[in-house]
Amino acid sequence: VQLQACGGGLVQAGGSLRLSCAASGRTFSSYVLAWFRQAPGKEREFVATISGSGDSTYVADSVKGRFTISRDNAKNTVYLQMNSLKPEDTAVYYCAAGSTRWAALSWYEYNYWGQGTEVTVSS
């Protein structure tokens, strides 16, 4: 599967952005999808994940209550709605697929990656 993320940009603290990740392939609904992020000088960290059907989601404690992951299988797209953004949310955000288990939190458990979209939150 090929993934392409978009929607990043520059936003003031407290603002919102919605990231999108479009995927190729006819088996999109069979994939658990996830968002990760990587700030300069830091390791790639888990943000959120969603089941193939979209019925189950799991988000990191650092973004809980502010970020929401969703998907539209008819459009082969996964979304990350980010509200109440903070400067510490500044990072390159990546969508990922291909984990063999639910709620895999480590980046190396995913086989497919989008190219990343940059989010900058100014204070």
Side-chain angles (χ1 to χ4, degrees):
V1 60
Q2 292 184 324
L3 304 170
Q4 186 165 1
C6 64
L10 173 64
V11 63
Q12 288 188 333
S16 298
L17 282 174
R18 188 175 82 154
L19 306 183
S20 300
C21 178
S24 63
R26 293 178 290 179
T27 58
F28 179 78
S29 62
S30 68
Y31 285 99
V32 171
L33 298 170
W35 287 95
F36 283 74
R37 66 185 182 185
Q38 188 166 18
K42 295 188 176 181
E43 285 195 3
R44 192 167 297 190
E45 67 169 347
F46 170 82
V47 176
T49 187
I50 187 166
S51 63
S53 66
D55 291 342
S56 298
T57 63
Y58 180 77
V59 298
D61 287 343
S62 59
V63 304
K64 193 169 293 182
R66 299 189 298 121
F67 291 13
T68 303
I69 187 171
S70 62
R71 66 191 294 164
D72 185 339
N73 286 341
K75 296 182 179 179
N76 279 17
T77 303
V78 60
Y79 304 97
L80 185 68
Q81 178 66 44
M82 305 186 295
N83 299 328
S84 302
L85 283 160
K86 304 176 181 180
E88 51 264 44
D89 295 319
T90 294
V92 177
Y93 284 72
Y94 298 89
C95 55
S99 170
T100 57
R101 68 182 186 94
W102 171 241
L105 305 185
S106 300
W107 64 266
Y108 50 80
E109 296 190 76
Y110 293 82
N111 297 319
Y112 306 105
W113 292 87
Q115 84 284 8
T117 185
E118 189 167 2
V119 173
T120 303
V121 184
S122 63
S123 56

